[in-house]
Amino acid sequence: MMKRSFGLLACLLTVAISILGCTGTTSQNAVPLLLEYNNEEQTSYVKALWAPEKGTMEIGKEPVLSYPNNAAQIIALHWEGPDSVTVFTREATTSLPQIQANGVKVNVVSLSNSLPIYYDPTMIAYTTNEAIYAAGVGAAATTISKITASDMQQYQADNGTFLGLGVMDGNIYVLLGKQHPYVPPQTATIPGPATMSIILDILNPDGSMTAKTVTDNYNASILTLPELHIPFADGCFYLNNLRLDVTSKEPKLVEVTSIAKGLETVATATKLEPFTFYEETTFPSYSKYKDYLVAVGQTVGPDELTIAAFKNDELAGFALITPYSRLRPIPEDVKTTRMYTYNSHGEQLNSYAINTADRVMIPVTP
């Protein structure tokens, strides 16, 4: 009788442990978020694991990475997974004792031999674990710089105004916008919107360049937006609900209606005040992590930050950080905030108190 009772108890414990294991937030069913915090002295990153479908969030209590702002001369970071980071620095060393890592593998790449002392790569458009790609936007052309530990290669993209940059399989893809000359209307009294061509410059590994026209009829008003950088993820540029696959023989802008509907769900899930036209200044960033395409940006209004996860282009779940502010330093009244999680139908699931992050980053799939 004792044996049967013990066996039954062991079976029940096994089932209970199995159920708990299925409902917890694990690295297998979660999207890692890297919450970046800056002050006058240091930059630090706190890791959070978010299960989009379940709406659960496990937020770390201690930074996984931190470094002094004025010591390491760090230029850029590239996160390959949540537990491995490449740090690009001007220092002539591949070991920086100022970097404090907690469970994170750190690879330091020194650019001291390749980065001229007079050159400051202010617009880091893309990173890999071996190189940074900077865009120097000029009046006549954009200079694209690929900077590794051994050298710096530069290319001129002169087919239009810089819109975005991505790298895949050794190719550098530069998206450009060329505004058409204004033509007064002949039959209408109200002029139509200014238009432009979108051109894809492909810089091949052998140094040759291929230019492809994506469209000749895109609204040119985006050229007036500050800090314009159309995001690139998993071989595609994303212009809100439009996607451009750079690997296509004839790349075109294709509307992804399911992503548009997902962002509509985000917008209608709360009573937050929506944007006015003049406040809508940037595109959300897009990142691919395992099965998820994750959008991060202000998509509802000026007082929130959206983190939306899509699986097979369908909304899997989203989180809103509100109140939120783009002002830096972060105003005192929003230094602490809450992160609300929602399911794919816009139903609120959970709420978590957090310190307001300066930025939320999604690592690339390791």
Side-chain angles (χ1 to χ4, degrees), residues 22-240:
C22 290
T23 56
T25 302
T26 66
S27 58
Q28 283 75 28
N29 63 4
V31 175
L33 312 179
L34 293 162
L35 310 180
E36 180 183 297
Y37 295 93
N38 293 288
N39 57 36
E40 292 181 357
E41 297 181 352
Q42 73 170 15
T43 296
S44 59
Y45 295 86
V46 173
K47 182 172 69 176
L49 287 178
W50 167 49
E53 287 90 349
K54 300 172 185 174
T56 55
M57 187 84 65
E58 292 182 4
I59 303 171
K61 295 182 179 179
E62 298 294 333
V64 295
L65 183 77
S66 60
Y67 54 86
N69 285 338
N70 58 354
Q73 297 191 53
I74 290 175
I75 298 170
L77 271 66
H78 177 76
W79 289 90
E80 190 166 290
D83 303 317
S84 179
V85 62
T86 299
V87 178
F88 295 92
T89 176
R90 283 187 180 273
E91 293 284 323
T93 177
T94 56
S95 176
L96 293 174
Q98 304 98 326
I99 296 179
Q100 302 297 316
N102 179 17
V104 171
K105 179 184 177 182
V106 179
N107 175 39
V108 178
V109 175
S110 170
L111 303 180
S112 61
N113 292 328
S114 56
L115 193 61
I117 190 67
Y118 59 83
Y119 179 69
D120 184 16
T122 53
M123 183 187 283
I124 306 297
Y126 201 83
T127 63
T128 67
N129 57 6
E130 295 180 347
I132 64 173
Y133 296 81
V137 180
T142 296
T143 301
I144 304 300
S145 302
K146 176 185 177 182
I147 310 167
T148 66
S150 58
D151 65 0
M152 180 172 74
Q153 300 172 348
Q154 291 189 313
Y155 312 88
Q156 296 296 313
D158 56 4
N159 283 321
T161 302
F162 176 80
L163 300 178
L165 183 149
V167 179
M168 187 176 183
D169 297 332
N171 293 325
I172 305 172
Y173 297 93
V174 185
L175 205 61
L176 303 161
K178 186 173 184 179
Q179 185 166 346
H180 299 155
Y182 174 72
V183 178
Q186 295 180 349
T187 59
T189 57
I190 301 176
T195 59
M196 68 177 182
S197 295
I198 292 182
I199 299 166
L200 180 65
D201 276 0
I202 305 172
L203 304 174
N204 304 301
D206 62 3
S208 63
M209 179 185 291
T210 305
K212 297 183 178 182
T213 298
V214 177
T215 179
D216 282 323
N217 189 28
Y218 194 86
N219 193 322
S221 62
I222 67 169
L223 296 178
T224 64
L225 299 179
E227 302 177 4
L228 181 60
H229 187 190
I230 293 170
F232 180 88
D234 197 35
C236 298
F237 285 102
Y238 286 88
L239 292 76
N240 288 334

Side-chain angles (χ1 to χ4, degrees), residues 235-248:
C236 298
F237 285 102
Y238 286 88
L239 292 76
N240 288 334
N241 59 322
L242 299 175
R243 178 160 57 200
L244 170 63
D245 183 353
V246 299
T247 64
S248 174

